[in-house]
Amino acid sequence: MRERRPAAAAALLAAVVLAGSGATTAVWSDAATIPGTPMRSGLLDVRVDGQDAVADYAPLDLPRLVPGQTAATVLTVGNQGNVALEWTASTSGTNAGNGLLGALRLLVTDAASTDGTTCGGTALPGSATTAGGTLLGTARTLGAGASEQVCLQVGLPAGASSALAASTTGLTIAVQGTAGSWSDTAEVGGVDLAAVPLTPPTLTCTGVLGVNLTMTWAEVPGAKEYRVFDALGTLIDTVPAGGLLQATVGALLGVTVKTVFGSEWVSAGAGC
């Protein structure tokens, strides 16, 4: 929030000049109190969800992020000042060097609701699809006291590199409001994103190895399926996540099970 109150003499002079010239101004940035003549300053105050700063914003958290996964939320950008403003937005991350921030894919639309996963509606003009820079470059106008809702979607593309596994980043969304030479910023921070580690399943082996072996295992968070390989690395079975996690291998030796999180996101093999 930005407000300026200069000396009374300067304000009086500005008022006299304007009155004499017939000129008008859209943004008052100077004010003083003259007995019998109240004057108010221009107030620039951009908010997100009614606040100057939103910390630990959980709706976009993705603690076990896998390729193709997204989260979405609706943000309300408001003008709580008494002058019209234009607003743009940008994003930044706490761990930009590990690659996850740059790999994120963003979408900003005019949707006023979301299922928490995706944004419907139409992409806003000038909106970016990557993180770590400009999010909305085409300024949008809000009159005094006005607000608008936008939907923001964050996630990893389906083809993201497996080198990103186990990497993390924080995400901050900054909304910049301007009116003439004045500016104000509201931030949404504390968004935590962590790509899933490539964890192999923990096996329970029953029966006799090389005779009638059966492998079972518990669900690995984020897994899409499990692949069973023989000793030569040949795929012999695929077990979908969420079902009966079991492989009957009988007399085969050297069988391993790998967790699959995405097309290239596959764990090391676990065996008995």
Side-chain angles (χ1 to χ4, degrees):
M1 179 177 70
R2 297 293 301 273
E3 184 175 10
R4 187 178 182 187
R5 301 180 182 277
L12 178 59
L13 177 59
V16 171
V17 170
L18 287 171
S21 65
T24 60
T25 180
V27 180
W28 288 95
S29 59
D30 297 307
T33 300
I34 303 173
T37 309
M39 299 177 66
R40 294 183 178 179
S41 65
L43 177 65
L44 176 62
D45 188 7
V46 67
R47 304 280 184 99
V48 177
D49 288 353
Q51 301 181 59
D52 287 317
V54 181
D56 299 323
Y57 192 74
L60 291 177
D61 285 351
L62 289 168
R64 299 191 70 85
L65 179 59
V66 296
Q69 184 181 10
T70 60
T73 190
V74 172
L75 299 172
T76 301
V77 179
N79 178 1
Q80 295 197 11
N82 57 15
V83 296
L85 63 79
E86 293 186 332
W87 70 272
T88 56
S90 61
T91 60
S92 59
T94 55
N95 298 318
N98 65 15
L100 183 57
L101 180 70
L104 296 175
R105 291 297 176 264
L106 310 180
L107 176 65
V108 187
T109 77
D110 58 4
S113 63
T114 175
D115 59 4
T117 302
T118 58
C119 290
T122 302
L124 298 185
S127 57
T129 59
T130 56
T134 299
L135 176 62
L136 186 62
T138 300
R140 300 179 66 82
T141 301
L142 284 176
S147 65
E148 68 173 320
Q149 292 182 307
V150 296
C151 188
L152 174 60
Q153 177 181 309
V154 179
L156 268 183
S161 170
S162 60
L164 297 170
S167 60
T168 63
T169 188
L171 184 69
T172 297
I173 302 103
V175 174
Q176 298 88 24
T178 60
S181 61
W182 295 98
S183 64
D184 186 37
T185 300
E187 289 189 346
V188 176
V191 177
D192 296 317
L193 301 107
V196 66
L198 301 183
T199 306
T202 300
L203 302 181
T204 298
C205 302
T206 57
V208 179
L209 184 64
V211 179
N212 59 350
L213 185 67
T214 297
M215 297 173 167
T216 58
W217 58 92
E219 194 79 83
V220 177
K224 294 184 176 180
E225 64 182 26
Y226 304 87
R227 295 175 186 168
V228 185
F229 297 86
D230 66 15
L232 298 178
T234 301
L235 179 67
I236 59 175
D237 196 10
T238 298
V239 181
L244 177 62
L245 304 180
Q246 176 178 297
T248 301
V249 299
L252 291 177
L253 296 173
V255 174
T256 58
V257 182
K258 299 182 179 182
T259 310
V260 180
F261 302 93
S263 59
E264 298 181 2
W265 291 47
V266 181
S267 76
C272 292

